[in-house]
Structure formats: C-alpha cells, structure tokens
C-alpha cells in the first residue's frame, strides 16, 4: 500500500474558489431609465430612417440648400481656425488617441466592463458608419470654397463618431462618479459633438442632413450598446461577475 501511494505521488491541495456574487435586483429607477433608453434608441432609429429615405430618393432638405452658404457667409480667419479645431477633435487620429488613453486608464483601474463598453461603442460606430456610407453613396457637397473629399457624405462620420465616443465617456463618468458629475460630462460631450457637426457643414464637407443623420444613427447605436452593457441605467454599470465574495 505504501508503495502504491508513492507511485501516485503526493495528493494535490484542494483550492476553494469563492462563489460568484449573484446579480443585484434592478431598482425601480433602473427599470425606468432602461425604458427611457429603449425609447430614445427607437426614436433615433425612426428619425434616421426618415432622413435616409429622403436622401435615397435623391431629394434634399431645405436646410441642405442653404446651410453651407449661410455658415460660409460668416466665415473669417478666426472662425476658420476654430472650426478646423473642432473638426480635428472629431477626427479618427484624435479619437483614437483619446480612446487609447481612456481605455488604458480604465484597464489600469480594473474597470474592464467600461473599457469594453467604450471599445464596442466607438468600434461599432466606425464600422456602422462605413457600411451606411457605402449603402447610400451620397456625393459630397460640390462647393467652390471646399475641398471635395473622395469618400461619401451620408452620414457624417465625424459627427456620428464624436457623439458616440464622447457621450460614451460621459456615461462611464455618470456610472462611476454619480448623477451630478455625470450630467456635467453629458453636457460637455453634447457640446463637443454639436460643435464638430457644425464645423463639418461650415467647412463644406457635409450637408446639414449628413450631420443630423450621423447624430441620429450614433445616438441609436450608443443606446443599443449601453443597454447591452447595462450602463444605462447607471446603477447597473458595475458588473456583478467581476466581483467575487469570500466566506470567512
């Protein structure tokens, strides 16, 4: 018997894995916010469908015929510099750099769910925008004072990605820092996105409907991702499976 025990080797120590904490029951406020999120996403989808249907029929909105000219009429060197700054904030290099910094910080603080949410939001937005552009194939505005870019115009990628990205960061701040700080972050994110959208029309890269369509598509996508990651409502942001409880 002793010989057989030696052949089998020493017994392996038993490692006890603490149980996963069960999900918390949603609060009444959480269910309400979740319902609001669904409504916002649905309305945004309907509005985008309306704008896209008009564009697909090769029609133009009234604002498309005057929007670029009206903004160009107030052009000045100082305003040109400001609008170029805003459009740069919504560009892929800047958004990519900010994403790397924020995602790295979230991973460093072990907020993996929030980092994944941000990656899904902006990654999906970029991919969805590319697909929509190829589907509708709307040419850029033919304006004498603007550089006509080689890709398509609808929906505006700068506008869509800026709204999704900066508002996603604001939602993360809301979930971590609370409603007061989160509300300020949401307002700042919306101001940035709107400024980027206006700059695209001012510089002649997009029609007004391109920007509005980008905002609608971006808002719908963001709320779909937010609901999926339980970041809306805010009190579901902390993923229960990321925490383990230990028995004493």
């Amino acid at each position: 018997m002793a010989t057989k025990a030696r052949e089998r080797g020493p017994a392996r120590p038993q490692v006890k894995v603490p149980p996963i904490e069960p999900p918390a029951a949603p609060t009444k406020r959480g269910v309400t916010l979740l319902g609001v999120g669904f409504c916002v996403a649905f309305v945004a989808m309907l509005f985008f469908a309306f704008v896209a249907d008009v564009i697909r029929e090769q029609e133009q909105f009234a604002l498309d015929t005057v929007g670029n000219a009206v903004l160009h009429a107030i052009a000045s060197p100082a305003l040109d510099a400001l609008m170029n700054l805003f459009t740069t904030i919504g560009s892929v290099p800047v958004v990519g750099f900010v994403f790397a910094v924020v995602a790295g910080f979230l991973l460093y603080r072990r907020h993996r769910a929030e980092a994944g949410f941000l990656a899904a939001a902006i990654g999906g937005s970029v991919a969805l925008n590319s697909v929509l552009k190829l589907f509708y194939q709307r040419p850029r505005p033919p304006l004498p004072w603007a550089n006509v870019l080689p890709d398509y115009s609808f929906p505006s990628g700068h506008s869509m990605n800026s709204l999704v990205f900066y508002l996603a960061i604001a939602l993360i701040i809301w979930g971590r820092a609370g409603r007061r700080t989160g509300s300020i972050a949401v307002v700042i994110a919306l101001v940035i996105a709107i400024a980027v959208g206006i700059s695209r029309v001012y510089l002649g890269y997009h029609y007004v409907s391109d920007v509005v369509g980008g905002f609608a598509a971006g808002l719908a996508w963001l709320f779909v991702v937010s609901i999926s990651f339980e970041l809306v409502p805010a009190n579901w942001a902390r993923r229960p499976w990321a925490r383990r409880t230990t028995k004493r």
Side-chain angles (χ1 to χ4, degrees):
M1 296 295 291
T3 305
K4 290 183 179 180
R6 291 194 199 98
E7 290 177 355
R8 293 175 183 173
R12 296 181 180 180
Q14 297 294 325
V15 178
K16 294 183 179 181
V17 178
I20 297 176
E21 185 179 285
T27 63
K28 181 178 180 181
R29 177 175 174 269
V31 173
T32 301
L33 290 175
L34 185 61
V36 171
F38 273 114
C39 292
V40 171
F42 182 69
V43 172
M45 288 178 186
L46 289 180
F47 186 73
F48 175 81
F50 167 72
V51 175
D53 183 66
V54 173
I55 290 173
R56 196 174 184 185
E57 296 296 328
Q58 303 299 321
E59 298 178 11
Q60 278 191 328
F61 291 93
L63 286 176
D64 286 344
T65 60
V66 299
N68 298 96
V70 167
L71 289 179
H72 181 68
I74 61 173
S76 67
L79 201 53
D80 289 349
L82 182 62
M83 291 299 171
N84 276 293
L85 174 63
F86 286 144
T87 207
T88 301
I89 292 174
S91 64
V92 172
V94 172
V95 170
F97 174 77
V98 177
F99 167 75
V101 173
V102 175
F105 174 76
L106 290 172
L107 291 174
Y108 173 76
R109 296 297 299 271
R110 297 184 180 181
H111 301 323
R112 292 184 292 272
E114 285 83 349
F117 162 73
L118 187 62
I122 187 58
S125 177
V126 171
L128 179 60
N129 183 263
S130 299
V131 171
L132 292 173
K133 282 180 181 290
L134 291 175
F135 182 79
Y136 291 103
Q137 298 187 5
R138 188 186 199 186
R140 297 274 182 172
L143 302 172
W145 65 83
N147 295 324
V148 181
L149 300 178
D151 62 340
Y152 298 114
S153 185
F154 179 83
S156 168
H158 278 66
S159 304
M160 181 175 175
N161 296 332
S162 296
L163 180 71
V164 170
F165 180 65
Y166 294 110
L167 196 53
I169 294 177
L171 288 177
I172 293 173
I173 294 174
W174 188 306
R176 284 290 164 183
R179 182 170 58 182
R180 178 176 298 180
T181 304
S183 299
I184 297 173
V186 167
V187 171
I188 294 174
L190 291 175
V191 169
I192 292 174
I194 292 172
V196 170
I198 293 174
S199 72
R200 302 304 287 172
V201 179
Y202 175 91
L203 296 171
Y205 294 133
H206 286 286
Y207 296 105
V208 174
S209 57
D210 295 335
V211 172
V212 173
F215 284 157
L219 193 62
W221 170 252
L222 178 61
F223 271 90
V224 168
V225 177
S226 299
I227 292 168
S228 301
F229 273 79
E230 299 177 359
L231 280 170
V232 176
N235 63 328
W236 292 3
R238 295 173 176 83
R239 307 291 287 183
W241 49 260
R243 304 191 302 276
R244 293 180 179 273
T245 58
T246 56
K247 292 184 178 180
R248 297 183 179 180

